[in-house]
Structure formats: structure tokens, C-alpha cells
């Protein structure tokens, strides 16, 4: 190296040393695509899932699924009623080493969400649901089959518990497992009815290999008891709804902070989040295998301060049954969240249209008792009116 080259190198080092640390980090990130850095076992299944995994409900094409696999994601969550989700996986399948990924889907039909097989469905219905999913995804087996959204279809605890332990469903699962078409049984719940009790029943029954609850830093605290019990019983825990409404906060590192909060709990095997674009891979995966920090805590406190009065904790259920007109408040507000924050306008409008009792009565309600019961101080009536006007073509 001659004197000119030496001085030039020194100048580069001096400029680099004067750069703000966050800009230096940005340059590093720009040069290295983020990948999965941690895998964790799901209960006693023997399966190790990527700590940040792929919710395929909004994946636009097979190409994004293949990019996710290249980045190290190995667990994919889908369902027949997630639009073209299973079809997209099927299109990607010829280029996938099947034994290197894990697929979870649901007992339901391809009709608009929610299309979970209801209580009263026959053994043949459950078997047919799985066989149709296998056909769409062009695979011979499914790793996890879910009884999906327990606590959503009925407010009556005993009736929904019957769906959890439906003999027709359990018989179908045993048949499918014996035939090598499914491997493990799972249950999910984002509320709003009897969420913790139903999931606790599943954990203690010995019949379920995994649970998937809504779990985030703004959630109701009783869920932690269920998660700890699952861990004790070696039942896997995969978290969903980890972004607490996924509001557009303008905080670039918010998703990573929210993920780190979830993953800091040793009882959690991993989390599922919806991926829509390659930018999501770049924004989400840097959280993989990293520790929760004081900076993350500050970010989450800032987010909570911004949205605490707008985010409905759908599993808290303190508003259940208080509406004199029978509006299912938590469900309506969840569809509003999908519309406003998840970019699922078409899907949420279809789901809202399927409700037997929507929020149209809220437009003229003069005695909103719902406003008085929310423990988080949400202006429920205003949110319900906004939901109805947003989710209805002619409100």
C-alpha cells in the first residue's frame, strides 16, 4: 500500500467512525438479507420450527413462500378459508423439499371465513376437509391439523367444549393419522368466548399436541397460566396476533420489538405472522434469535400509548352479552381490525356480511351500555359504528 492509498483508507475509516451508529447498522442490514437464526421444538412432537414463521393467509403468490423458505422459515400456517392460500402452497410444492418444511391447516371448508366445521359435522366431513386440503397443496400429508378458533362459534362454554372433544372429529383424526395423512392435532383461539378455559381443557386432556393462542404484550394476563400449563405438559405453544392489532405506528422496529417480547417466553415455541411482501421478510426476520431489550420495551410502551384506546383485546370478553340488541362486539371489532389494519378488506366484508346480528343497530343506539364495561376504556359504540360503515357496502 503506497502513501496515497494509506491516506485514502484512513479517510474512509474516519468518515465511517463519524457515522451515527444507526446508519452504520443500516448499511450492514442493506448488505445482508435477514434469515432465521433460531429454531425451537414444538412440545414433544420432535419438530423444530423457525421462531418466526409464515402465516399464509395473505401470501399473494407461491414465489413469496419460496423466498421465505430460502430465508430459513420452515413452518407454514394456512387454512381452506384463507382465500388462495392452500393453492399457493400447492403451486410452490414442486420446488419444495417436503420433509424440510411443516404445514398446519384447519378442519374447515373453502367458503369465506369463518368456515370451521361446526359441531354436528360427521367423521366423513372432517376426513373430506383434509383430503381436499391435501389435493390443493399437492402434498401427501399435513403436519398439524387444527380445530380452529375455539371459543368463537358459540358463547356457551359447554357447547364449544363439545366441539373441542367431538367424537366425530377425534375419530376422523385417528383415521387420518393412521393413514399417514396428518401427524398432530392442534387447537387455536383468538376468543372471544371462554378462551383460557377451553385452551386449558385442551392442554390437560392429553389429546392435543399444540395450542395456538393470541398472545402479545397488550393481551389479557390469564393466558400466561395456560401457556405455562402447556409447557409443563409438553404441549407446544405457537403464538398468533403478536402485533397487537398491527396498527400503522410509523415505528420501523415495532414488529421486531413485539416479536422479541413474545419469544422471550421460554414456553413459546415460535410465532406465526402474516407475510404479504418481501419487505415483510426484511422487516420481521431481524428479530429471529435475538434478545428482548430495554429499547424494545420503550418501543412497546410508545405503541401502547398510541393505540390503547383503539385496540380491542378480543379475548377479554368483558363486553360479552351486554348489548341489548345482541351485537357480538368482540367479533365485529375483530373484523374491523382485519379491514383497517390487516389490509383484508374483501375478506373482512364477506365475514361481516355472514353475521346473523351485525352492528347496524349501533347507528341509532342512544343507550350504549357497552361503553361502560370495557376495562380498557375503548369508545365501543363509536368503534362499532365505524365498523359497520366500513364493512358494509351501503351502511
Amino acid at each position: 500500500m503506497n502513501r496515497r492509498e494509506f491516506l485514502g483508507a484512513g479517510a474512509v475509516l474516519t468518515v465511517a467512525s463519524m457515522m451515527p451508529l444507526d446508519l452504520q447498522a443500516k448499511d450492514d442490514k442493506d448488505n445482508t438479507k435477514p434469515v432465521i437464526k433460531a429454531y425451537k421444538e414444538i412440545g414433544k412432537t420432535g419438530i423444530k420450527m423457525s421462531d418466526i414463521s409464515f402465516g399464509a393467509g395473505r401470501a399473494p403468490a407461491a414465489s413469496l413462500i419460496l423466498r421465505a423458505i430460502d430465508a430459513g422459515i420452515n413452518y407454514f400456517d394456512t387454512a381452506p378459508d384463507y382465500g388462495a392460500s392452500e393453492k399457493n402452497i400447492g403451486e410452490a410444492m414442486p420446488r419444495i423439499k417436503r420433509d424440510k418444511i411443516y404445514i398446519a391447516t384447519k378442519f374447515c371448508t373453502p367458503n369465506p371465513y369463518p368456515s370451521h366445521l361446526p359441531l354436528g359435522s360427521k367423521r366423513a366431513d372432517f376426513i373430506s376437509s383434509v383430503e381436499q386440503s391435501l389435493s390443493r397443496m399437492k402434498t401427501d400429508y399435513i403436519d398439524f391439523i387444527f380445530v380452529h378458533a375455539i371459543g368463537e362459534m358459540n358463547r356457551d362454554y359447554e357447547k364449544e367444549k363439545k366441539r373441542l372433544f367431538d367424537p366425530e372429529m377425534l375419530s376422523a383424526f385417528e383415521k387420518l393419522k393412521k393413514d399417514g395423512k396428518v401427524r398432530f392435532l392442534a387447537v387455536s383461539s383468538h376468543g372471544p368466548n371462554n378462551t383460557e378455559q377451553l385452551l386449558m381443557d385442551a392442554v390437560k386432556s392429553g389429546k392435543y399436541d399444540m395450542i395456538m393462542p393470541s398472545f402479545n404484550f397488550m393481551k389479557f394476563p390469564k393466558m400466561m397460566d395456560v401457556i405455562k400449563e402447556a409447557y409443563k405438559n409438553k404441549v407446544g405453544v405457537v403464538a398468533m396476533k403478536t402485533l397487537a392489532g398491527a396498527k400503522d405506528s410509523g415505528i420501523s422496529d415495532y414488529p421486531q420489538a413485539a416479536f422479541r417480547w413474545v419469544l422471550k417466553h421460554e414456553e413459546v415455541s415460535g410465532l406465526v405472522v402474516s407475510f404479504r411482501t418481501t419487505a415483510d421478510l426484511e422487516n420481521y426476520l431481524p428479530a429471529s434469535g435475538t434478545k428482548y431489550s430495554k429499547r424494545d420495551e420503550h418501543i412497546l410502551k410508545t405503541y401502547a400509548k398510541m393505540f390503547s384506546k383503539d385496540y380491542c383485546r378480543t379475548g377479554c370478553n368483558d363486553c360479552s352479552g351486554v348489548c341489548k340488541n345482541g351485537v357480538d362486539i368482540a367479533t365485529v371489532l375483530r373484523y374491523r381490525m382485519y379491514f383497517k389494519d390487516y389490509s383484508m378488506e374483501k375478506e373482512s366484508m364477506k365475514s361481516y356480511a355472514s353475521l346473523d346480528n351485525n352492528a347496524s343497530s349501533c347507528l341509532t343506539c342512544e343507550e350504549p351500555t357497552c361503553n361502560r364495561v370495557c376495562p380498557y376504556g375503548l369508545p365501543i359504540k363509536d368503534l362499532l359504528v365505524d365498523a359497520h360503515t366500513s364493512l358494509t357496502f351501503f351502511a
Side-chain angles (χ1 to χ4, degrees):
M1 178 182 290
N2 60 35
R3 184 173 182 273
R4 178 175 294 178
E5 291 171 333
F6 176 80
L7 290 174
V12 171
L13 289 172
T14 301
V15 171
S17 66
M18 293 172 64
M19 288 174 61
L21 289 176
D22 58 341
L23 291 181
Q24 294 184 52
K26 184 178 187 302
D27 286 347
D28 291 342
K29 289 179 183 178
D30 288 345
N31 293 327
T32 306
K33 289 186 178 180
V35 296
I36 293 295
K37 300 181 183 70
Y39 298 83
K40 193 171 180 181
E41 190 165 346
I42 302 175
K44 57 178 181 292
T45 64
I47 288 175
K48 287 188 175 181
M49 71 178 292
S50 44
D51 58 353
I52 297 173
S53 285
F54 199 102
R58 291 182 286 163
S63 58
L64 186 59
I65 293 167
L66 294 171
R67 285 178 180 268
I69 293 173
D70 287 342
I73 292 176
N74 70 351
Y75 180 99
F76 294 82
D77 178 270
T78 184
D81 59 355
Y82 288 178
S85 179
E86 288 189 334
K87 181 175 177 289
N88 287 337
I89 291 175
E91 289 178 356
M93 193 60 69
R95 297 175 61 185
I96 294 174
K97 292 181 179 179
R98 180 64 183 89
D99 62 343
K100 301 299 182 183
I101 67 164
Y102 306 104
I103 296 174
T105 193
K106 321 296 190 306
F107 280 129
C108 70
T109 69
N111 297 322
Y113 182 93
S115 296
H116 330 311
L117 291 182
L119 187 66
S121 299
K122 299 301 182 184
R123 181 175 184 259
D125 298 325
F126 292 100
I127 292 173
S128 176
S129 167
V130 167
E131 289 178 341
Q132 289 180 50
S133 289
L134 293 172
S135 177
R136 282 188 290 269
M137 292 190 285
K138 296 181 173 60
T139 184
D140 295 328
Y141 67 95
I142 291 162
D143 297 283
F144 293 92
I145 186 69
F146 274 87
V147 174
H148 191 39
I150 200 73
E152 177 179 354
M153 298 182 75
N154 203 309
R155 293 182 183 178
D156 187 308
Y157 164 71
E158 292 299 334
K159 288 183 178 179
E160 197 69 343
K161 185 177 179 180
K162 287 181 180 178
R163 187 164 78 95
L164 188 64
F165 300 115
D166 182 358
E168 295 285 327
M169 179 275 295
L170 292 173
S171 175
F173 169 71
E174 291 301 329
K175 168 65 174 170
L176 290 162
K177 185 175 181 179
K178 182 179 179 181
D179 291 345
K181 295 179 180 180
V182 299
R183 299 178 64 193
F184 301 105
L185 184 63
V187 59
S188 69
S189 180
H190 35 59
N193 305 301
N194 306 298
T195 304
E196 295 98 334
Q197 186 58 58
L198 288 163
L199 289 180
M200 188 69 84
D201 291 340
V203 166
K204 292 184 175 181
S205 70
K207 296 183 182 299
Y208 284 85
D209 302 290
M210 182 174 76
I211 62 170
M212 184 166 66
S214 297
F215 187 55
N216 62 57
F217 70 100
M218 290 177 71
K219 260 310 191 194
F220 45 104
K222 293 181 182 178
M223 185 57 70
M224 200 63 230
D225 295 336
V226 179
I227 291 172
K228 287 181 179 294
E229 186 68 21
Y231 187 69
K232 185 176 77 173
N233 287 274
K234 295 185 178 181
V235 173
V237 178
V238 174
M240 65 173 172
K241 301 292 184 290
T242 53
L243 291 176
K247 305 287 185 182
D248 185 6
S249 65
I251 307 171
S252 61
D253 292 337
Y254 165 69
Q256 297 171 32
F259 296 157
R260 290 188 188 103
W261 184 91
V262 172
L263 297 171
K264 74 175 183 175
H265 297 86
E266 65 173 349
E267 301 88 352
V268 175
S269 302
L271 63 86
V272 167
V273 62
S274 294
F275 285 84
R276 290 178 294 172
T277 66
T278 54
D280 289 335
L281 291 168
E282 295 170 1
N283 291 336
Y284 296 166
L285 296 196
S288 176
T290 57
K291 291 185 178 181
Y292 184 70
S293 68
K294 288 184 178 180
R295 183 174 183 275
D296 293 326
E297 186 175 357
H298 174 72
I299 288 172
L300 298 188
K301 285 181 178 179
T302 301
Y303 181 93
K305 187 175 181 180
M306 292 171 68
F307 299 112
S308 182
K309 296 298 180 67
D310 189 58
Y311 170 54
C312 175
R313 290 76 161 170
T314 54
C316 106
N317 210 31
D318 281 19
C319 60
S320 177
V322 303
C323 177
K324 63 181 180 181
N325 295 309
V327 175
D328 187 345
I329 296 169
T331 297
V332 171
L333 293 186
R334 184 155 57 85
Y335 292 160
R336 175 183 179 270
M337 176 180 70
Y338 292 159
F339 183 93
K340 296 276 186 178
D341 305 312
Y342 281 45
S343 300
M344 296 173 64
E345 292 89 351
K346 183 178 179 181
E347 297 90 337
S348 53
M349 292 178 81
K350 284 183 177 180
S351 297
Y352 184 72
S354 71
L355 291 177
D356 293 331
N357 195 3
N358 64 29
S360 59
S361 61
C362 301
L363 300 175
T364 56
C365 178
E366 297 181 356
E367 299 179 6
T369 55
C370 54
N371 281 350
R372 299 196 293 269
V373 300
C374 179
Y376 304 101
L378 271 66
I380 294 180
K381 180 194 171 181
D382 292 344
L383 295 177
L384 290 171
V385 169
D386 180 69
H388 184 70
T389 55
S390 299
L391 296 168
T392 308
F393 283 108
F394 303 103

